Amino acid sequence: MAGALASGPLARDWRTPAELLLLGAIWGGSFLFMRVAAQPFGAFALVEVRLALGALILLPFLWRERAAFSPGLWPKLALIGAINSAIPFLLFAWAAQRSPAAIGAICNAMTVLFAALVAFAFFGEKIGMRRALALLVGFLGVVVLATSKAGGLSVGPAVAAGATAALLYGVGVNLVRRHLAGIPPAAAAAATLSCAALLLAPFAATHWPTGPIPAAAWGSAIAIGLLCTGYAFLLYYRLIQRIGAARAATVTYLVPLFGAAFAWMFLGEPVTPMMVIAGGLILGSVAVSQRAPRA
């Protein structure tokens, strides 16, 4: 009995950091896959594949919890699907056509800060001096990133797209908290992804590429949908249930590191000093904003 009691916490302690590391690698890899697939597919077609495959993985959870979804809930699900999935995915795919993969991965880290800002501005949550200063430092990091260059080209428009996507994620987090409370997260994710795929389908059909799509682009698109969206959502919600949302959010620190490392290893994209400075400012601000307040 004593051995069993000792092995339980040890197994959990080992599993949590391993799954956080895996999730950080998967979401970091999504920016590499977008960089490979965005140009051949175009933003609309790529995101439609991503949404459809991600929803497909999660549909069994939606079917199991279907009784929780009243007809009046579906308009809210469609709105959240557009704000939290379709539009930010499009913005990141658009940015991937115009900048290194690390740019989108760094901008993605702003989601935690934007979620706090939206909660303060629209839902009356207290933000505190420390978190307000963290927001300012994070925005300074975005400015540094936006004024930098990669390969001699300005990445300002891509940074603006990535920051806007992170802002929409922040809005989406708050909408989910307030309008989908009590609904099993995996089922809610399946519903919002399905709605987003349906909303985007007409645009994907009219913007589908006319030329042949390389096998590498198809492989990357499938990986984004099945692995980086469907499976990653399952892994993330499992972590939230086991360790709580605040600790699960620490995966935010890992995504830019993996995104930049993968792009450097597999695509030969350089990590510039300005990217390092901007990433340090943004991740530092996220770390400060996530610290528990003093009693």
Side-chain angles (χ1 to χ4, degrees):
M1 178 65 71
L5 291 173
S7 63
L10 286 175
R12 286 195 295 273
D13 289 344
W14 173 87
R15 185 175 57 177
T16 294
E19 289 187 351
L20 283 169
L21 194 67
L22 175 61
L23 184 60
I26 290 172
W27 275 341
S30 70
F31 293 94
L32 166 69
F33 294 136
M34 275 192 284
R35 184 69 171 145
V36 172
Q39 201 66 46
F41 271 94
F44 286 103
L46 175 60
V47 173
E48 180 64 21
V49 172
R50 176 179 187 176
L51 290 169
L53 292 178
L56 183 65
I57 291 290
L58 298 170
L59 277 178
F61 298 91
L62 176 58
W63 178 256
R64 188 177 65 189
E65 305 292 343
R66 61 191 183 278
F69 292 83
S70 63
L73 184 62
W74 285 98
K76 292 181 181 179
L77 291 167
L79 177 63
I80 293 172
I83 292 174
N84 202 41
S85 297
I87 301 174
F89 286 1
L90 283 171
L91 289 168
F92 276 127
W94 184 89
Q97 294 176 288
R98 294 162 174 82
S99 68
I103 297 296
I106 293 171
C107 289
N108 183 74
M110 289 291 293
T111 298
V112 175
L113 300 177
F114 278 128
L117 180 61
V118 170
F120 167 74
F122 296 101
F123 298 104
E125 291 190 12
K126 294 181 179 180
I127 194 168
M129 182 59 68
R130 185 182 65 199
R131 186 167 286 184
L133 291 173
L135 281 165
L136 290 175
V137 174
F139 292 139
L140 176 61
V142 172
V143 171
V144 170
L145 191 63
T147 56
S148 66
K149 292 187 176 182
L153 298 175
S154 173
V155 296
V159 172
T164 303
L167 171 60
L168 290 172
Y169 281 155
V171 174
V173 166
N174 282 279
L175 292 177
V176 168
R177 286 174 184 167
R178 285 157 179 81
H179 296 288
L180 301 184
I183 297 177
T192 55
L193 287 173
S194 299
C195 289
L198 291 173
L199 290 171
L200 199 62
F203 300 96
T206 56
H207 290 78
W208 196 265
T210 56
I213 301 173
W218 268 113
S220 295
I222 293 170
I224 295 171
L226 295 180
L227 179 63
C228 304
T229 305
Y231 175 70
F233 270 62
L234 290 177
L235 187 58
Y236 184 54
Y237 289 133
R238 188 168 66 188
L239 279 165
I240 289 174
Q241 289 173 349
R242 188 165 72 243
I243 64 176
R247 288 183 64 195
T250 57
V251 73
T252 305
Y253 312 140
L254 300 173
V255 174
L257 303 179
F258 279 109
F262 288 155
W264 172 70
M265 286 189 295
F266 297 108
L267 300 178
E269 294 183 347
V271 178
T272 67
M274 294 297 278
M275 286 184 192
V276 174
I277 293 171
L281 289 170
I282 292 171
L283 290 177
S285 67
V286 171
V288 170
S289 73
Q290 287 292 95
R291 286 174 57 190
R294 293 179 180 177

